[in-house]
Amino acid sequence: MMRRVSTLSLNPTAISARLTAQSLTAWQLVVKPVVTSTNDIVREYDERGEGHGVAVMAEEQTQGRGRRGRTWHSPAGANLYCSIGWHLSGPLEALSGLSLSVGAMVAEAAMRVCGADLQLKWPNDLYADDQKVGGVLIEMLGARGNAQAAVIGIGLNVSMSADDGASIDRPWTDLSTASGRDIDRNELASAVLNQLAEGLAQIDQQGCAPWLNLWRRRDYLRGRAIVVDGSPPVAGIAAGVSDTGALVIETESGRQEVSGGEASVLEMGALR
Ligand code: BTN
């Protein structure tokens, strides 16, 4: 399929124009042309004591990073690269569902803007048409008083050319392809910020449970034969996520919960 390439630049005025009152209060918006990683910029703000509520976006990342030490391909003008600084109240253990919850928030926002049906692949990949369209990378910075400082990094493929995506070694797509529409990245950025302002405030008050429930409705792996890498790897049928965000797997020896790792879908019949 022909991929669409976006032309509109990220524009702080256009992004701010669509922010809700809650969002305008929550975020200090920073838009940069090129950065190493938007997560790095949030760290710099945090070191100056200005981390909470900073929302950094960039047209391009030269050292974009993904989970498990992977590179996040971040060509100029094609996608959304966004990092949020947030100080979460409550103990670290209560935050284990945070990355899944953020994935659910981003999926809600993206679906509202582009109309495509998105799924969530444990732990925090966004999927469309069986291919990865986005991901979340959370880096914890440590305690700040009673709160935990986090950098929440979000990458969404919006309209990436086949050439720009050629070095990505796993099946990928972008929101324009998945929805068949041109996507305005400024509109998408506002929707993500609005949803995060609302959702993170909710998590501060009620914890992650409501968002984990939303995540469960979009669970890409549920019912599929999977294997999660690790030593030893765990294979079985994916059976949802626990209240702490762990992946539940029905194995030959019973139910197991896995808190980290990479889940791969197995070919039909591979478990037999
Ligand atoms: C993953 O699926 O591996 C997580 C990808 C997260 C990518 C985003 S893009 C904005 C922020 N800056 C980074 O360097 N990474 C995150």
Side-chain angles (χ1 to χ4, degrees), residues 108-171:
E108 286 299 311
M111 284 188 295
R112 215 173 299 131
V113 171
C114 77
D117 187 37
L118 302 184
Q119 282 84 47
L120 293 157
K121 175 176 176 277
W122 184 89
N124 47 16
D125 289 349
L126 283 87
Y127 261 50
D129 303 325
D130 295 314
Q131 300 160 98
K132 183 157 169 163
V133 73
V136 176
L137 174 70
I138 296 194
E139 296 174 338
M140 299 307 293
L141 301 181
R144 303 284 184 275
N146 290 332
Q148 297 294 332
V151 184
I152 300 172
I154 296 155
L156 277 173
N157 299 337
V158 179
S159 51
M160 186 152 61
S161 70
D163 279 355
D164 278 336
S167 55
I168 302 178
D169 58 4
R170 289 180 299 167

Side-chain angles (χ1 to χ4, degrees), residues 204 208 237:
D204 266 347
C208 293
I237 305 294

Side-chain angles (χ1 to χ4, degrees), residues 20-39:
T20 59
Q22 180 181 33
S23 204
L24 280 168
T25 313
W27 308 125
Q28 176 195 353
L29 180 61
V30 177
V31 178
K32 303 243 179 205
V34 190
V35 297
T36 50
S37 156
T38 50
N39 276 26

